[in-house]
Amino acid sequence: MTFQLGSALLDACVLAIVDKEDAYGYSLTQQVQSVMDISESTLYPVLRRLQKADYLTTYDQPYQGRNRRYYQITEQGRIRLMGLLQEWQMYKHNIDCVLLGGELNG
């Protein structure tokens, strides 16, 4: 079973991956696909949106005679990631409470 995931969680995953190390599009797609069902055609608009919001920057690096475009997180991107991680923790806690029993956070 696959749960439908929103754009905020996809943003968080992309920013978290790029926070660990700069990555090019195909590599990012593979890493995100390991945890959620998305296609390359879904990921590239997300990367452009994150770049437009100044959460990511890009640079090109030669690879086997061609250039690869790498994505790098910005300081604003790190701030956004920290906010998304806080939201995720509360969301995850509340879902766990509903599914497993416990007290919801308001």
Side-chain angles (χ1 to χ4, degrees), residues 10 12-13 22-23 28 35 46 54 56 60-61 66 72 99 101:
L10 181 55
C13 288
D22 299 355
L28 270 167
V35 295
V46 171
D54 293 325
L56 295 176
D60 292 340
Q61 190 134 12
R66 299 180 61 200
Q72 183 176 52
L99 295 178

Side-chain angles (χ1 to χ4, degrees), residues 50-64:
L50 292 173
Q51 188 178 1
K52 187 174 181 182
D54 293 325
Y55 298 148
L56 295 176
T57 63
T58 62
Y59 63 91
D60 292 340
Q61 190 134 12
Y63 178 77
Q64 295 183 348

